[in-house]
Amino acid sequence: MAVQIVAVLLLSILGVRLYLLQVVRGHHYANIAQNQRIRRLPITAPRGIIFDRNGHPLVDSRPIYNVILSREDVRGKELSSLVQPLSEGLGLDADILRDRFEEIKSLPAFESIPVKLDATPGDIAWVEARELEFPELRIEQQPQRRYPPNGLLAHVLGYVGEISPEQLKQPSYKEKDLKPGDVIGQSGLEQSYDDYLRGRDGYRKVVVDSRGRIQDEIEIVLPQPGQDLISTIDLDLQLAAEEELRNSTTKRGVIVAMDPNNGEVLALASAPTFDPNIFSQRIGTKEGRAEYVALLNDPDKPLINRAIQSRYPPGSTWKIPMSVAGLQQGAITLDHSNLVCGGGITIGNKFTRCMGNHGTPDIRTAITRSCDGYFYRLGLKMGLDGIIAMVDEFDLNRRTGIDLPNEVTSRTPTEFKAILDRRNQNWKDIDTVFASFGQVYEEMTPLNMLRTVAGVGLHGKLYVPHFLKELKPVGESGAPGYRQGRGFQPFDSSRPNPKIVSIPGDINQAVVEGMWGVVNNGGTGAGIRMAGLEIAGKTGTAQVVGLGKDVGKNKDHSWFVSYAPAYKPELSVIGLIENSGFGGHHAAPAVRKIYDVFYRKTRHEEPPGAVPVAKSAKPTRKIPGKPQEAAAIEAH
C-alpha cells in the first residue's frame, strides 16, 4: 500500500511538472528553441550625406567591417572571461573592453555587442580561424561616418557616437526605440537633425545551428538610408574663414557669415577646432580616448563653438542697437542728436574715459568715430529702463534659435541688475554708464550680435540663423517607408521669423550712414574699404581686464560686425579675434577677406584694394551748430 501511494505521488508530481513545462511555460520554451534556430541579424542603415549649398559633400559614410559578439550565444557565460583572449587576439585595450562588458551587464538583453570597429583583414582572419572556439563572434559590415580633415566645419557638422547608457534612460531616446550600440548624432547638425539623417535599419533572418553558425537565409529586409541634408554652407566662404582664424595673431576666435535676407549661415568658423573623426572612428581605442582627454583638458577649449557657446563683452558693437533705441525712445532726435564727448565722463568720483575727444558729435559721427563719451551720455538719457527695453526689443537676452544644440543665452544689464537686487545693492548712474558701451554689464555671443546688426541693415527684420536648406525625400511619394523632404523650420514654432523691430526709415538711415562712415568715411574701419561693395560696419575693442593689465592673454578682444552693400545688404559678417587688440587692426581685415571671396563669386572679378574715400553723398543731413571736425567728415 505504501509503495502505491509513493508511486501515485511521484506520478502526480511528474504530471504537474509536465503540465507546467508544456502548457503553462510551453510558449516560452518554444520561443527559446526558435531563437536558437532562427536569428534576425541587423543591417545598419547608412546615415544621410551632408552637402554644402552647392552640392559638395561634407560628410558621408564608408563601409567598414566590425567584430560583433552575439549575446544570445554567451548566456550563462561570464563575459569577463573573454576579455583577455579577445584583447590579445584583436589588439584591443583590455580595460576598454572590460568597461564595455560592465556597461552591458546593467542593460536589458540584446542581440549583439560591437567588440571592435573597423576590423582589419588580420582581425577578420583571426575570428574566422577561431569559429569553433568563439562561435559567439561574427563579422558584420556597417557604415562609418567620415568627416572632413583638419577639423573643417567641426563645430557645425558635429559628430556621431554610440548612444550612452545615460541617454537610453531618457524618455526622449526611449520613445525612438533605440538600443545599446546604436549610433546617433551627439553634436552639431548630426544631433539637431539626427531623426532625419539616421536611416531605418534592415535585417537578415537566418537559420543557425547549435553553435550559432548560419545554415540558411530565410528573409532579407534592406535598410533604408537616412535623408540627405543640403546645408546653407558655402564651402568657399568657410575655407576662407577658417584660414583667417588659423593666420590670426592668437589663432583663437570666430568668424560667421550669414545672408541677412533669410538667416542662412554661409560660414561659421570657430578656432581652435578639433577632429570629429575621433568620435566616429577612434574613441573605442586607447589612443582615441587619449585624444579626447587632451581636448577636454586643452585650456583653449577647442570643443567649444565660440559663435554660440562663448560670451564676450561686445565693446563698441553695442553702440548700434543703442543708437537705434536712443532715437526710437526720444532720448535724442535726428535734429538734435549732438552730445558732448568731453574725453569721457565723471560720475561721483569716478572718471570713465573716451579714447579720444570728439567735440560734440551727432549720432552719425559718434558711430563713425566710435565716441565712448557720446554713448555714456546717451545711456544716461535712456536710463536703465530704456536699455532694458532695447535688450527686449532686439532679443539680446534670448537665444538666436539657430539649429545647433547647446546655444547659450547672452548676458545683458537685465541679468546683472537682478544680481544686484538679490544682493540688496542699488543700481547707480555709473552702472548705467557702464551698461551703455558694451564693456561691463554685457556679455554677448557673436551670433547674437550678428543677428542684431544684420537686422538693422534690413530695416528691422531679424531672421533666425540656420544651417538647414533642405532635407531630401527618401523613396517614392505614397510608397511604404516614404520620408518627406522639408526646408528649414524654426525649432520654436511660436517664434516669428523674421522678428520685426519697428525702426522708422529716417532713424534707420541715420544709423546706417554712421556704420557706412566707419569703413567709407574715415572711421575706425577705414582700412578695409572697397569700391563696388561698400561695407557698413562697426569695430569693437573689448577689454578683458583693467587698463595696464591688458597684455598677452589678457589683451583686448577685437570685434568687427558688418554687412554689405551698405544700403542693400547681401552678406553680413562678424569677426572676433580673442586677445588681439584693436578691432580695426585684427577682426576687420579678417572680415574683409570674406568679402573678397564673396566679391569674386558674385561679381566674377578680382576685388578692389583699399581706395580713396568714396565720394558718395550718403550722409546728407546737416546738423546746426556742428563742430568743424564733424562737418568736415560729413562733407566727404
Side-chain angles (χ1 to χ4, degrees), residues 384-403:
L384 175 61
D385 290 342
I387 295 173
I388 288 176
M390 174 198 76
V391 165
D392 293 338
E393 181 180 40
F394 282 98
D395 282 353
L396 293 169
N397 55 350
R398 297 185 64 187
R399 296 178 179 89
T400 66
I402 193 171
D403 50 349

Side-chain angles (χ1 to χ4, degrees), residues 23 29 85 173 189 215 219 309 343 417 481 536 573 586 613 629:
V23 179
Y29 290 108
Y173 289 102
L189 293 177
Q215 303 297 309
E219 180 186 8
Q309 293 175 304
K417 171 65 163 57
V573 187
H586 298 278
V613 173
E629 175 186 283

Side-chain angles (χ1 to χ4, degrees), residues 431-542:
D431 297 311
T432 303
V433 167
F434 291 155
S436 304
F437 74 118
Q439 193 55 67
V440 178
Y441 290 121
E442 298 87 28
E443 295 176 359
M444 303 297 297
T445 65
L447 189 65
N448 204 337
M449 186 53 68
L450 178 63
R451 178 177 184 249
T452 298
V453 175
V456 173
L458 283 184
H459 304 271
K461 292 181 180 178
L462 277 66
Y463 284 91
V464 173
H466 61 277
F467 287 99
L468 175 63
K469 195 168 184 67
E470 181 186 4
L471 281 161
K472 292 289 189 180
V474 173
E476 297 294 329
S477 179
Y482 172 69
R483 300 176 74 176
Q484 186 175 5
R486 51 160 282 193
F488 171 70
Q489 299 169 12
F491 289 167
D492 182 356
S493 59
S494 66
R495 190 167 191 168
N497 187 31
K499 177 177 181 178
I500 304 298
V501 176
S502 180
I503 307 176
D506 54 352
I507 290 177
N508 187 266
Q509 177 76 9
V511 174
V512 171
E513 286 175 2
M515 294 181 66
W516 175 88
V518 167
V519 178
N520 300 282
N521 210 14
T524 52
I528 68 163
R529 61 187 181 271
M530 58 193 295
L533 192 71
E534 294 181 337
I535 301 170
K538 187 71 196 75
T539 56
T541 306

Side-chain angles (χ1 to χ4, degrees), residues 272 289-303 553:
R289 292 197 175 187
E291 287 182 76
Y292 177 52
V293 170
L295 288 174
L296 290 176
N297 294 330
D298 190 325
D300 288 336
K301 302 186 184 303
L303 292 174
K553 282 204 168 184

